[in-house]
Amino acid sequence: MSLVLISACSKSDVKDANLGVIKKVLELQFTGPDEEFMDLVWNPKYKTVVNGKEENKELDKYVMEVYGPYFVDSYLDTFLNAFGTTYQSTAYHSGYKLRVKDIAIKQGEKMSNLYTFVATVGYQKNDEEEKTANVSGEVIFSTKEEGKIGRFQYGDEDGLLLTMREAVNQ
């Protein structure tokens, strides 16, 4: 009987840990822009060319420290190239500030390592009234590395990127 209780508790703990991981990544994505991150991404002083390939060791170090604990190593670069800098960079270049207001996460019924989320993100430029957008997506956790994200993608984002991109072009 006690074995069943221990097993049930450990599954609950994993689920709760996964929720915390998703929340942390969304907070990293939608709080800021993170000035240090943006400096490392955009400042040419951190970039070097080695064997014809651009490298940024300071950015790599920062990413491993900040995002590394939440992603499997084989997916971290993919995430950053596909999504990881998009919202931060767009907010940075458009003068918007981002703030996570609420996060709702639901675990998949058929796949226990699949989660869907909706993050309510506040965005504001200068002294304008803050607006909100609901950003949805899904996260799949690795079945080999407990608590690490194996895939993370955004779905609908309520026009947030378009609004910020239009501000860049003004």
Side-chain angles (χ1 to χ4, degrees), residues 26 28-34 37-38 79-80 82-94 96-98 117 121 133-136 152-162 164-165:
L26 289 170
L28 288 168
Q29 289 283 284
F30 296 108
T31 302
D34 176 339
F37 185 44
M38 290 297 92
F79 170 75
L80 283 168
F83 306 110
T85 61
T86 303
Y87 291 99
Q88 287 280 323
S89 290
T90 306
Y92 177 77
H93 290 295
S94 65
Y96 274 93
K97 299 289 183 211
L98 302 174
F117 65 83
V121 178
N134 289 320
V135 179
S136 64
F152 185 111
Q153 69 181 52
Y154 293 109
D156 186 28
E157 47 87 61
D158 249 357
L160 176 59
L161 279 175
L162 180 62
M164 291 191 298
R165 284 183 178 144

Side-chain angles (χ1 to χ4, degrees), residues 22-78:
I22 296 168
K23 286 181 179 180
K24 183 63 180 171
V25 170
L26 289 170
E27 288 168 355
L28 288 168
Q29 289 283 284
F30 296 108
T31 302
D34 176 339
E35 297 291 332
E36 181 180 0
F37 185 44
M38 290 297 92
D39 186 45
L40 291 169
V41 169
W42 295 106
N43 192 330
K45 77 178 183 182
Y46 299 111
K47 298 174 184 177
T48 58
V49 177
V50 178
N51 295 326
K53 183 179 175 194
E54 186 176 283
E55 290 185 359
N56 186 331
K57 292 191 185 296
E58 291 300 313
L59 177 62
D60 293 345
K61 180 181 171 190
Y62 180 86
V63 165
M64 283 307 294
E65 288 174 5
V66 175
Y67 285 94
Y70 309 110
F71 289 88
V72 295
D73 289 343
S74 62
Y75 185 73
L76 186 55
D77 283 343
T78 302

